[in-house]
Amino acid sequence: MLHMHPLLAYTRLHHAPLTYDVTFTPSARTVLDRATHSAIPSHTLAQPATEPPMPSGARLVLRSSKFPWPVIVSAPSATASPGPRFTVGPPKTGTITNLDVLYAVHTTLMTPVTPEEWAALGNGSRAQHKVAKAYERRCTRMGGGWEAGVRRVDWLGEKTRLVGVEVDKSGGGGGTGKLIFEKP
């Protein structure tokens, strides 16, 4: 049975201790402890996101009822790193870390929406208006970004704060989970 790291684990009875607004790149300023509003330590972010740790080549598939795209998290290879990684102790290459999960969510949701994805909401539909309003709110809040157009994150409306991952028990214990979002 797969379990999420305590930083990300969410159930109806236990809420994960993290708060992270997915419109921002994961950093010490954006990934915070929900109670203290202080930065989550880098050594915690570098820990495996699951127990047992998911090895290189494995994929963690995260979904949300708020948008149609899966968030696919895979362990970075030892050679291809998204940037410099600071590690304490022996390098933990090839396991999916908490930071890998946060980066995958951010990257997936900051992807521009295709005309087909926009049309799938229904031309002039309530859903399209809701997404357009979220786009306007996001660009106003960020002080720009209008030219980049609607992004997948706009499907979340005002609920852009990731508050945890619920393991999908129906998924047979495989690498699947449900992303839980709230208003910031």
Side-chain angles (χ1 to χ4, degrees), residues 31-89:
V31 182
L32 305 174
D33 181 290
R34 188 168 38 90
T36 66
H37 299 286
S38 58
I40 300 291
S42 59
H43 68 271
T44 302
L45 294 173
Q47 292 172 353
T50 60
E51 181 56 46
M54 296 185 77
S56 186
R59 294 175 354 144
L60 178 61
V61 180
L62 304 174
R63 300 188 182 279
S64 171
S65 59
K66 307 213 172 295
F67 51 80
W69 312 275
V71 173
I72 310 293
V73 189
S74 53
S77 68
T79 55
S81 172
R85 287 186 168 234
F86 176 74
T87 56
V88 177

Side-chain angles (χ1 to χ4, degrees), residues 61-163:
V61 180
L62 304 174
R63 300 188 182 279
S64 171
S65 59
K66 307 213 172 295
F67 51 80
W69 312 275
V71 173
I72 310 293
V73 189
S74 53
S77 68
T79 55
S81 172
R85 287 186 168 234
F86 176 74
T87 56
V88 177
K92 297 191 173 51
T93 55
T95 60
I96 295 174
T97 67
N98 292 321
L99 191 58
D100 293 330
V101 170
L102 299 178
Y103 264 106
V105 171
H106 174 74
T107 303
T108 300
L109 293 180
M110 293 314 287
T111 300
V113 172
T114 66
E116 296 78 22
E117 291 166 342
W118 179 249
L121 287 173
N123 199 18
S125 69
R126 192 164 164 244
Q128 247 185 14
H129 286 298
K130 185 179 165 203
V131 170
K133 190 172 173 138
Y135 158 69
E136 291 173 18
R137 208 173 21 250
R138 176 177 55 82
C139 291
T140 301
R141 192 176 93 193
M142 305 292 269
W146 299 95
E147 65 289 339
V150 176
R151 295 182 183 261
R152 291 176 170 180
V153 70
D154 298 322
W155 257 245
L156 294 173
E158 292 186 63
K159 295 183 177 182
T160 58
R161 183 172 60 161
L162 177 66
V163 294

